[in-house]
Amino acid sequence: MADGFTTETAALASEARHWRRACAALADLEVGASAAAWRELETYLGISVRATLTAHAKRLTAQADRTLFTIKAASSPADLKTARAELLTLRRRYSRAEAIVDFYCDAVNTRTNPRMAAVLRGLDALAVHSMDQILRPLGIDTPPVLTYLDKGMGASILRAGARLWDATLSPAAAVKITRHNLWQPTSLVHETGHQVAHLTDWTKELAAALHTALTPHSPLAADAWQSWASEVAADVYAFCLLGFAPVPALATVVDGPSRAVFRMPIGDPHPISALRVQFNAALCRSWFGTGPWDDLARRWMDRHPLEHAAPDVRAVVGASMSLLPGIVDVCTRMPMRAFNGVPLSALADPRRVSPNELNRLADRAGASLYTSTYLQRVDPMRILALTVLRGLESPNPPTEMENWLRRMGGDRAVAA
C-alpha cells in the first residue's frame, strides 16, 4: 500500500495537471467568442486584445509547469506543503485570468450580429475621436476602444492601462453601452472622459481646485465636490464635446423616487443625483444662456422638492445651489496643468456645440450630414450631439443614428 507521502504527491500532480490544462485552454479565445465576432473588431484592436489575453494564458501555463516541477522534486512533507501553496496560488490566479478572458470575450461576442458589429465599430471610432481631440494636442497617445452592449441603467469603463491580475495593463478601454441608450449614446463620451482624466491626471487637480474655490463659501460643499471630482470631470468632458445632448439621457438614468435621487452614500464618487442634474443644467446655462435645460432643471425641482431630502443631504444641496456658476467656471474656464496650462474649453470649446451652432451645421451640411466622409472624419462629435437632440423629439425609429453609426463603423452596404 502506498504511503501518505506518495499518495499526496500523486494527488497534487493530478490537480496540477488539471489546472495546467485549464490555463492552456484560456488561450483558445474562440471558445469564449466566435471567430466571426473577433473578425468584426478593427484589426489593431483585435490583435492587441488577443495578444494580451493569449499572453495571460501562456504565463499561467508556465506557472503551472513550475508547480508541477516543484511537486516532482518534492522529497519531504515540507516540500509538499510548499507545492500545495503554489498550487493554491495558481488556482487563484487562474480564476482572475478567467474572469478577464470572459469579460473581453463577452464584450467581443456582442458583435456576432453583423448589423450590431457595424454599430459598435462606429461607437469605437467615436470613442477614439472623442479622446483624440484632447489628447493629440497634449502629445498623449489615444488608446484603442472596445465598446460592447449590455443590460443595465448606466454605462461604465474599464480603462486602458488599468492593472490586471498579474500587473500587466489592460490593452484597450472597454466601454459598456447600455441597450436602452444605444441610440443616444452620449454616455460614451462621459466614459472616455474618465480615460482622458486618468491619462492627464486631471481629476486630482480638479478636486483640489474645487476645494480651494468653494471652501471660503462653504466647507461642507467644498468637501462634497472634492469627493465627486472624478464624476464631475466626466460630466464636464461630455458637456464640452456634446453640449446639452447628454443631459436628458443623464436625467433619465439617475431619476427615480425622491429618496433615491437624494441619496448620498459614503464614498460614492457620484454627486447627489438631484444636484448632478442641476449642475449639468448650470453648465448649459453658463455657456449657452437660457434654453430647454432651464425647463429640465425646474421640472426636477418640482418633481423632487428639497424638503424630501434627509437633513445632511439638504445641507449639501442647499449650500451648493448658489455656488453652481462658480463650480462651472472652475471646471471649464480655469487653466489646468493637465491641459498644458489652458482650460478644457480651450481644447473643446462648448460654444461649438450650442444649439444654434448645431443648427448651423445641419443647415450647411444639408443632405450630406450623414453621408459625407469629410464630416464623418472632422465633425463626428457635433453630428452625434445633433442627432441625439433630434431624436428626443422624433417618434420615428432611430434610422438616421443607426445608419450613421454603421457608416462610421465601415459598413459599406449602408454607405452605398
Side-chain angles (χ1 to χ4, degrees):
M1 180 179 295
D3 60 23
F5 178 83
T6 303
T7 301
E8 179 66 358
T9 300
L12 288 174
S14 178
E15 293 174 35
R17 286 191 295 271
H18 167 82
W19 290 113
R20 188 196 185 282
R21 290 191 297 270
C23 292
L26 285 179
D28 188 357
L29 298 177
E30 291 178 8
V31 170
S34 69
W38 281 106
R39 286 195 296 270
E40 295 292 354
L41 267 66
E42 188 273 333
T43 304
Y44 173 78
L45 175 61
I47 290 174
S48 178
V49 171
R50 291 186 71 122
T52 298
L53 299 182
T54 301
H56 285 326
K58 289 181 177 178
R59 282 191 291 271
L60 272 177
T61 303
Q63 183 178 347
D65 286 335
R66 291 192 295 271
T67 301
L68 277 166
F69 179 81
T70 300
I71 295 169
K72 184 177 180 181
S75 59
S76 69
D79 291 340
L80 288 185
K81 187 175 181 180
T82 299
R84 176 161 169 74
E86 288 186 17
L87 183 60
L88 293 177
T89 298
L90 176 65
R91 283 164 48 106
R92 288 194 299 272
R93 291 184 176 176
Y94 170 84
S95 295
R96 294 171 187 166
E98 182 185 59
I100 292 167
V101 171
D102 282 351
F103 171 80
Y104 279 105
C105 286
D106 286 349
V108 171
N109 249 343
T110 63
R111 303 184 181 222
T112 302
N113 180 318
R115 173 185 168 192
M116 186 52 55
V119 169
L120 292 173
R121 284 198 307 273
L123 290 169
D124 295 345
L126 284 176
V128 169
H129 189 280
S130 74
M131 293 186 287
D132 203 47
Q133 182 172 338
I134 306 301
L135 296 179
R136 185 185 293 271
L138 301 178
I140 300 174
D141 291 336
T142 301
V145 179
L146 168 66
T147 57
Y148 64 98
L149 192 63
D150 205 353
K151 61 183 181 298
M153 291 298 293
S156 62
I157 184 172
L158 171 65
R159 293 195 315 267
R163 293 208 171 270
L164 302 178
W165 67 272
D166 60 351
T168 57
L169 304 180
S170 57
V175 178
K176 169 189 167 183
I177 304 296
T178 58
R179 189 177 301 277
H180 74 93
N181 264 339
L182 175 61
W183 306 122
Q184 49 178 15
T186 52
S187 60
L188 175 72
V189 184
H190 173 96
E191 300 306 332
T192 59
H194 281 302
Q195 180 75 61
V196 169
H198 169 71
L199 292 173
T200 60
D201 204 23
W202 180 32
T203 300
K204 290 180 182 178
E205 186 178 5
L206 179 61
L210 287 169
H211 195 267
T212 299
L214 299 181
T215 296
H217 305 283
S218 169
L220 179 65
D223 289 345
W225 285 89
Q226 180 183 40
S227 72
W228 298 332
S230 64
E231 291 297 329
V232 169
D235 277 1
V236 169
Y237 191 84
F239 165 75
C240 285
L241 270 69
L242 299 176
F244 176 56
V247 183
L250 168 69
T252 297
V253 167
V254 302
D255 200 2
S258 291
R259 66 177 182 277
V261 301
F262 284 123
R263 287 181 67 246
M264 189 173 63
I266 295 174
D268 188 349
H270 297 85
I272 300 163
S273 295
L275 190 53
R276 186 177 178 185
V277 170
Q278 297 299 330
F279 170 64
N280 275 266
L283 284 165
C284 298
R285 191 178 306 116
S286 177
W287 283 91
F288 308 148
T290 59
W293 39 88
D294 297 310
D295 292 335
L296 187 152
R298 282 192 294 269
R299 187 164 64 250
W300 261 66
M301 294 183 75
D302 292 341
R303 186 180 294 179
H304 304 293
L306 188 55
E307 55 264 28
H308 291 177
D312 57 336
V313 174
R314 196 180 312 150
V316 173
V317 175
S320 297
M321 287 297 291
S322 63
L323 301 176
L324 290 179
I327 296 171
V328 169
D329 286 343
V330 171
C331 293
T332 60
R333 296 183 174 94
M334 178 179 286
M336 294 279 172
R337 292 187 306 275
F339 306 125
N340 285 352
V342 301
L344 174 61
S345 57
L347 299 175
D349 188 346
R351 291 170 295 189
R352 294 192 71 246
V353 285
S354 70
N356 288 338
E357 285 301 312
L358 293 179
N359 289 333
R360 289 192 187 97
L361 170 65
D363 291 341
R364 288 196 304 270
S368 70
L369 182 67
Y370 296 113
T371 58
S372 167
T373 55
Y374 172 77
L375 289 177
Q376 180 177 299
R377 186 173 67 254
V378 302
D379 236 349
M381 289 295 101
R382 294 209 295 165
I383 296 174
L384 173 61
L386 177 63
T387 309
V388 166
L389 291 174
R390 283 177 168 180
L392 294 176
E393 303 300 327
S394 174
N396 300 319
T399 305
E400 284 183 335
M401 177 67 84
E402 178 179 350
N403 287 343
W404 179 64
L405 288 175
R406 289 170 67 181
R407 291 187 187 101
M408 287 289 297
D411 191 328
R412 295 179 182 177
V414 176

